Amino acid sequence: MSNPEQQMKEMQEKLLRFLRNSAGRSKRGGGQFRGGPPKGSFKMGAAIVALGALGLGFSASLYNVDGGHRAIKYSRVSGVKPDIYGEGTHIRIPWLETPIIYDIRAKPTSIQSLTGTKDLQMVNIVCRVLSRPNQASLPEIYRTLGTNYDERVLPSIINEVLKSVVAQFNASQLITQRDKVSRMIRDHLTKRALYFNLVLDDVSLTHITFSPEFASAVEAKQIAQQDAQRAAFIVERAKQEKQSTIVRAKGEARSAELIGEAIKSQPGFLELRRIETARDIAHILQKSGNRMVLDSSSLLLNVTEPSSVENPKK
């Protein structure tokens, strides 16, 4: 209940109490005035009644518009007036004019819709919008939609736009192209809401939920892709190992070929290798803690003796 109505009710109660008290006093004092009550008492009562009626009429002719609200007037004579009243206290004609107050602040609304994708997958989408009425069109909104305009318009247009936009995409595209889907839904909803004189400040898709069957299929597909990638990696590794083995074999063959050519052209090359091997064996035996007696010829340590390369047998 608004403040003017409360004031009116309080004034009516005070006036009724005053009239009851006046009537009681006149009954109690009836024996004192045999010729009837004095004429001054009637004038005083009439003045009080007139003053009370004037106060009631003044309080009934005022109404307040709070912050973030706008008001229009409905007249019993001319209907809805085109004037829009801002915040503050305004005057109306009691009984003849009725103020209708609208909240013009943005109000959130969440709508859940079950719709189908292009590949016939069912998806559950929750769309959240921030809506407010167009201030300049409040009289038209009251004529066509009333005060509960958001409950009449938003559920129908949101469901319609969601179904029409989602049907253009596959289920996987709703995830990979979510920005594009959200932008298309926002553009279509904004145009549809303007037709009903509603302004949408924000449109967002808060939840996208797929059916359990589709979620299981996506998980199985991801596992299969991981297995395929793992198998491709194993094949590639085998190819690399094969290639490295070929390269190594070619290197060893080339090395053997070079060694053979060096032995043919330079007989001292084999003697040099024998001396290097004898030196390595000597270093190993020197670091070893074991004590043993071995033939120097078997260990290639007889470097002072002439080799078979220098004195080949006939």
Side-chain angles (χ1 to χ4, degrees):
M1 186 179 294
S2 60
N3 293 332
E5 294 178 354
Q6 292 179 354
Q7 294 175 0
M8 185 186 300
K9 188 175 181 180
E10 292 176 359
M11 292 291 293
Q12 290 176 353
E13 292 177 354
K14 290 180 181 179
L15 182 60
L16 290 174
R17 285 199 299 269
F18 175 77
L19 293 176
R20 292 193 190 99
N21 294 334
S22 299
R25 285 196 299 268
S26 63
K27 289 180 180 179
R28 289 193 300 270
Q32 297 178 1
F33 303 98
R34 294 181 180 179
K39 295 181 179 180
S41 63
F42 287 106
K43 294 181 179 180
M44 183 180 296
I48 293 174
V49 171
L51 183 61
L54 182 62
L56 289 175
F58 180 75
S59 63
S61 64
L62 298 178
Y63 68 95
N64 293 329
V65 179
D66 298 332
H69 294 70
R70 295 293 183 272
I72 59 176
K73 287 182 181 179
Y74 170 76
S75 175
R76 295 179 183 268
V77 177
S78 59
V80 180
K81 294 186 176 181
D83 300 328
I84 299 173
Y85 301 90
E87 303 168 0
T89 302
H90 303 278
I91 299 175
R92 65 165 180 166
I93 301 176
W95 184 83
L96 190 62
E97 294 180 342
T98 303
I100 296 97
I101 299 176
Y102 277 90
D103 187 356
I104 61 170
R105 295 171 294 186
K107 182 168 59 175
T109 303
S110 295
I111 302 297
Q112 183 175 356
S113 177
L114 181 63
T115 182
T117 61
K118 187 177 180 179
D119 53 352
L120 304 180
Q121 295 292 336
M122 300 305 296
V123 58
N124 194 3
I125 300 179
V126 178
C127 182
R128 183 179 183 272
V129 298
L130 288 177
S131 62
R132 56 184 175 85
N134 187 5
Q135 298 184 33
S137 304
L138 288 179
E140 182 66 22
I141 293 175
Y142 183 72
R143 289 191 189 97
T144 56
L145 300 175
T147 55
N148 57 342
Y149 57 90
D150 51 347
E151 297 177 1
R152 293 173 179 265
V153 174
L154 291 179
S156 59
I157 64 173
I158 289 177
N159 276 286
E160 177 188 355
V161 171
L162 285 178
K163 292 180 183 300
S164 62
V165 173
V166 172
Q168 304 177 22
F169 296 89
N170 295 329
S172 59
Q173 292 176 339
L174 294 179
I175 300 175
T176 58
Q177 302 180 18
R178 183 165 182 170
D179 293 340
K180 182 179 179 181
V181 175
S182 179
R183 184 169 60 254
M184 291 182 62
I185 291 174
R186 180 169 57 252
D187 295 341
H188 285 69
L189 271 180
T190 302
K191 293 178 181 179
R192 291 285 290 146
L194 287 177
Y195 179 78
F196 297 97
N197 298 311
L198 300 182
V199 180
L200 301 185
D201 293 332
D202 181 67
V203 178
S204 59
L205 302 179
T206 57
H207 294 85
I208 298 178
T209 307
F210 296 95
S211 62
E213 294 79 7
F214 179 77
S216 301
V218 171
E219 184 179 0
K221 182 179 179 181
Q222 291 178 348
I223 294 175
Q225 289 178 349
Q226 293 176 358
D227 293 340
Q229 291 176 357
R230 188 180 299 108
F233 172 75
I234 293 173
V235 171
E236 187 65 24
R237 185 176 63 181
K239 290 181 179 179
Q240 295 296 331
E241 291 178 352
K242 179 181 178 181
Q243 188 67 24
S244 63
T245 302
I246 293 173
V247 172
R248 185 169 56 252
K250 289 181 178 179
E252 292 177 354
R254 180 60 180 169
S255 176
E257 183 180 354
L258 293 175
I259 291 174
E261 292 177 356
I263 293 174
K264 290 179 181 179
S265 60
Q266 298 178 2
F269 175 77
L270 186 60
E271 185 65 21
L272 178 61
R273 286 298 181 88
R274 189 175 70 85
I275 295 173
E276 291 177 354
T277 304
R279 183 181 59 190
D280 295 338
I281 294 174
H283 283 301
I284 294 173
L285 293 177
Q286 182 181 1
K287 295 178 180 179
S288 177
N290 298 328
R291 296 294 182 268
M292 63 185 67
V293 178
L294 296 174
D295 187 8
S296 60
S297 299
S298 61
L299 296 177
L300 301 178
L301 295 178
N302 52 347
V303 295
T304 58
E305 299 179 359
S307 63
S308 60
V309 177
E310 295 178 350
N311 297 319
K313 296 181 178 180
K314 300 292 185 181

